Amino acid sequence: MPGLSVSKVSSTAVIQPSFEDLGRPLSQVTFCVVDLETTGSSEDDTITEVGAVKVRGGQVLGEFQTLVNPNSHIPALISVLTGITDQLVAGAPKLPQVLPGFLEFAAGTVLVAHNARFDVGFLKRACARHDYSWPNPEVVDTVALARQVLLRDEVPNVKLSTLAAHFHATTSPTHRALDDARATVDVLHGLLERVGNLGTDTLEDLLEFLRRVSPQRRAKRTLAKGIPSAPGVYQFIADLSAPDGSIRRQVLYVGKSTNLKRRVASYFTAAETRPRMDEMVRIATGVETTVCRTPLEAEVLELRLIGAHSPRYNRRSKFPERQHWLKLTAEAYPRLSLVRQVSDDGCFYFGPFRRRAGAEEVMLAVYDAFALRQCTARLSAKKASPGCALADMGRCPAPCRLAIAPDDYAAIVDRVRRALGADTSELVTAVAPRLAQLSAAERYEEAATVVSRLESCTAARCGTTGWPAWPAARTWWQRYKSMRAGRST
Amino acid sequence: MIRYGRLAAAALARPGEIPQRVARDAVAAADWVAPATGPQSAALTEETERIADWLERPGVRLIEIEGDWCWPVGVGPSAAVRLRQVAVGSTP
């Protein structure tokens, strides 16, 4: 980019890391692997046994196990499955006595459970019922993790017994809380070993891993490595190999952000939901970033890069250079002309308009306000030529029939020039008598059209098209050729 | 630094630096921009638009300008009000 002094950042650049970048390494996170046995799976059922194992860095820190008196009958089917009978829990403590002990045991840890929705749901309901506040810990579901990590042909399903067998767990799950929790610990460690080589080494990465993201997109996470946490512009690049073996570099997408690292990383997570972007990330083979010093610089650089590369995945107009201008021609009887290009002929130009319709609207508003000729022929100031219907109706001063002197006509042209270039209120003043006529004749629809045309002229900004409805209004653009702007910080 | 509606240089004054000096240095090192024909800007229209919008944001201050920063009379909300008045016939 000429002029914008920007620094290309390669992935080898040394950047001082901030706390934001660090995350909590998995080896230092305390997990509390929990499993519950209950009287059933509905909301009315209660807990019959709690088992939990606290682990950190592969070391077991403690175990927690207790039966719970559910205050209700345990169905026979459940008793057969778990081996927990009414007689067994008759002498056990009740939930209000068990809950504080468990919450203390699990305080400050990350909860892990197999099908965590079930266990966490029971714990949350128990807390609500017995007036304990739920500590809201991070939750890792080994079912979700296994679905993301293990391939279809590795395990037939993600039941705890299947996974325990797959990872050769030392304890086999028996549908008793502590045994199942111990088995889940082995499954968790097995799964963590598998995600380690996928660039997941912090708790934040692990929690992100639980979300459903296509593996092809997730595999591109490494592209975000080494990008600085600074404002700037990023480009997704694809190195496509041509049939002759040469490599053709293509810019797929250009964007800007106040924090490049966070923004680029978000493309590889579940936060990115646009299908187009999913496709783009799959194609991309690299990300290039350019650090900018001010947000405006980033905005401008983004625009210029989009203009230069026309990236396939950026939405923008197909012909950004196409624009329309209104020109007051230089002749004996000047007229308004719609042109596509500005030439250095000293004529008065008004614009640019992105769409022709916008320019036509302003042209019609001028015709409403001023008696400017609407024909396109070049008229002689000496020789009369045939007039048109507008002249017969009195809507045109008929310079064609030499009904108006060039000087008088020039006065009208001056008013048009002033109305468009300096003082819009002249446009409104000039149209007032015509509006009064229309409303006196009860031609309200016609009057409304005239008013809406005028509105399109006097609105300072037009929100939808990107270009303002009053484009040449900022006269510095038109007259003042050079300016300097600074922003004191 | 803006020339003919094109961003020719940008600089950021860090705490302890003199903003005016940083601006002067930026001007000295800025791009040379060829003036465009007639009233056109020397950049893409979108770029000039963004710059113009930025200049009117609160907190942005002009250090130096050749000419004036101005809008035509009768543009904006006040014009809409007046237009309504004219339309209902209360003002000539």
Side-chain angles (χ1 to χ4, degrees):
Chain A
M1 261 349 267
L4 292 177
S5 37
V6 287
S7 52
K8 273 270 153 79
V9 175
S10 70
S11 54
T12 53
V14 180
I15 297 129
Q16 184 177 356
S18 64
F19 284 112
E20 201 176 303
D21 305 325
L22 292 175
R24 282 171 284 174
L26 284 173
S27 58
Q28 286 163 34
V29 173
T30 311
F31 292 103
C32 179
V33 185
V34 65
D35 190 66
L36 304 177
E37 300 306 328
T38 63
T39 56
S41 55
S42 75
E43 286 203 5
D44 303 325
D45 289 308
T46 60
I47 300 167
T48 56
E49 191 183 20
V50 180
V53 182
K54 204 148 71 166
V55 286
R56 191 203 299 140
Q59 301 291 318
V60 175
L61 301 181
E63 292 188 335
F64 181 99
Q65 191 268 330
T66 178
L67 286 166
V68 182
N69 185 343
N71 274 344
S72 62
H73 171 61
I74 300 173
L77 191 69
I78 304 286
S79 290
V80 169
L81 184 72
T82 63
I84 301 171
T85 59
D86 286 341
Q87 289 84 355
L88 201 60
V89 296
K94 293 181 180 170
L95 196 53
Q97 283 100 55
V98 172
L99 206 51
F102 171 74
L103 291 177
E104 184 58 37
F105 180 78
T109 62
V110 175
L111 276 191
V112 181
H114 198 71
N115 191 16
R117 268 179 60 194
F118 177 86
D119 301 273
V120 171
F122 267 97
L123 288 171
K124 271 186 183 171
R125 278 198 296 280
C127 281
R129 201 169 294 160
H130 299 293
D131 280 337
Y132 286 98
S133 64
W134 174 243
N136 228 351
E138 280 106 344
V139 176
V140 175
D141 186 358
T142 42
V143 170
L145 193 57
R147 285 212 177 108
Q148 293 295 326
V149 173
L150 299 177
L151 303 175
R152 279 284 156 78
D153 51 359
E154 278 183 281
V155 283
N157 54 49
V158 288
K159 285 179 183 170
L160 184 58
S161 50
T162 316
L163 294 184
H166 181 72
F167 287 113
H168 308 293
T170 45
T171 317
S172 57
T174 56
H175 286 292
R176 285 298 295 267
L178 190 59
D179 280 350
D180 284 9
R182 283 175 181 154
T184 311
V185 168
D186 291 333
V187 169
L188 174 72
H189 286 156
L191 289 170
L192 289 186
E193 279 172 22
R194 291 285 298 266
V195 296
N197 58 3
L198 296 173
T200 306
D201 36 41
T202 63
L203 178 64
E204 286 70 21
D205 289 339
L206 183 69
L207 292 173
E208 171 50 42
F209 212 95
L210 298 175
R211 312 266 212 98
R212 198 171 284 266
V213 178
S214 68
Q216 293 95 325
R217 185 140 67 93
R218 203 190 286 285
K220 297 281 173 79
R221 289 168 78 239
T222 45
L223 297 185
K225 285 265 150 70
I227 289 177
S229 307
V233 176
Y234 57 90
Q235 305 177 59
F236 279 88
I237 306 252
D239 286 322
L240 306 171
S241 52
D244 59 350
S246 65
I247 286 178
R248 196 163 48 87
R249 167 156 286 206
Q250 194 177 30
V251 177
L252 297 175
Y253 185 80
V254 176
K256 66 167 193 307
S257 170
T258 50
N259 186 335
L260 286 170
K261 186 189 179 80
R262 203 186 304 155
R263 182 70 190 102
V264 172
S266 77
Y267 278 90
F268 311 105
T269 68
E272 180 54 70
T273 53
R274 294 168 290 178
R276 281 168 64 79
M277 290 298 118
D278 184 73
E279 190 185 301
M280 186 274 290
V281 171
R282 285 176 194 215
I283 300 171
T285 55
V287 180
E288 269 187 12
T289 58
T290 310
V291 173
C292 296
R293 279 158 303 190
T294 66
L296 179 70
E297 195 185 7
E299 247 176 77
V300 167
L301 183 59
E302 182 197 20
L303 274 174
R304 289 188 193 168
L305 284 174
I306 292 175
H309 297 296
S310 300
R312 260 198 289 164
Y313 290 91
N314 278 92
R315 285 188 195 278
R316 76 191 290 259
S317 61
K318 265 194 181 141
F319 305 102
E321 294 79 21
R322 187 176 286 180
Q323 40 180 254
H324 302 273
W325 294 79
L326 272 182
K327 172 185 177 181
L328 262 177
T329 56
E331 50 187 304
Y333 294 108
R335 63 184 179 90
L336 276 181
S337 168
L338 262 174
V339 293
R340 302 281 292 277
Q341 272 175 347
V342 171
S343 50
D344 203 7
D345 50 7
C347 288
F348 176 83
Y349 285 92
F350 184 74
F353 297 88
R354 177 170 280 178
R355 287 175 302 128
R356 192 186 165 88
E360 278 170 350
E361 196 86 324
V362 171
M363 192 157 82
L364 289 175
V366 170
Y367 290 154
D368 283 336
F370 301 107
L372 204 66
R373 74 182 178 99
Q374 300 181 25
C375 46
T376 53
R378 196 175 182 90
L379 297 181
S380 161
K382 295 195 180 97
K383 197 166 142 271
S385 40
C388 63
L390 286 175
D392 295 333
M393 288 158 67
R395 295 279 302 275
C396 174
C400 44
R401 293 171 183 164
L402 304 182
I404 184 168
D407 288 349
D408 295 338
Y409 190 82
I412 299 175
V413 173
D414 275 343
R415 286 182 70 197
V416 172
R417 195 174 291 138
R418 223 171 26 248
L420 287 181
D423 185 0
T424 352
S425 54
E426 291 214 8
L427 212 59
V428 181
T429 313
V431 95
R434 186 165 145 71
L435 272 179
Q437 262 179 20
L438 287 173
S439 54
E442 298 189 357
R443 287 158 71 180
Y444 299 122
E445 284 89 350
E446 210 172 319
T449 320
V450 172
V451 170
S452 77
R453 265 181 215 149
L454 272 182
E455 270 175 343
S456 73
C457 291
T458 54
R461 274 153 217 266
C462 178
T464 49
T465 57
W467 294 3
W470 194 261
R474 285 133 167 181
T475 47
W476 62 280
W477 179 352
Q478 207 151 23
R479 292 192 209 140
Y480 306 113
K481 296 301 184 186
S482 165
M483 62 170 299
R484 294 161 189 180
R487 182 178 196 162
S488 37
T489 44
Chain B
M1 167 79 193
I2 298 152
R3 282 182 173 152
Y4 305 105
R6 185 182 178 91
L7 185 68
L12 183 71
R14 305 255 166 227
E17 287 181 314
I18 303 162
Q20 286 80 359
R21 179 185 291 166
V22 172
R24 272 198 301 277
D25 291 349
V27 169
D31 274 0
W32 176 83
V33 177
T37 328
Q40 290 180 107
S41 75
L44 286 174
T45 311
E46 280 103 334
E47 179 177 331
T48 311
E49 264 305 306
R50 296 278 181 98
I51 293 169
D53 281 341
W54 174 77
L55 274 171
E56 286 170 3
R57 254 182 244 167
V60 177
R61 274 177 264 165
L62 281 170
I63 295 180
E64 206 181 313
I65 183 168
E66 283 174 34
D68 285 313
W69 178 264
C70 61
W71 283 75
V73 181
V75 171
S78 67
V81 171
R82 179 149 180 278
L83 186 56
R84 285 284 148 203
Q85 285 169 350
V86 168
V88 298
S90 61
T91 311

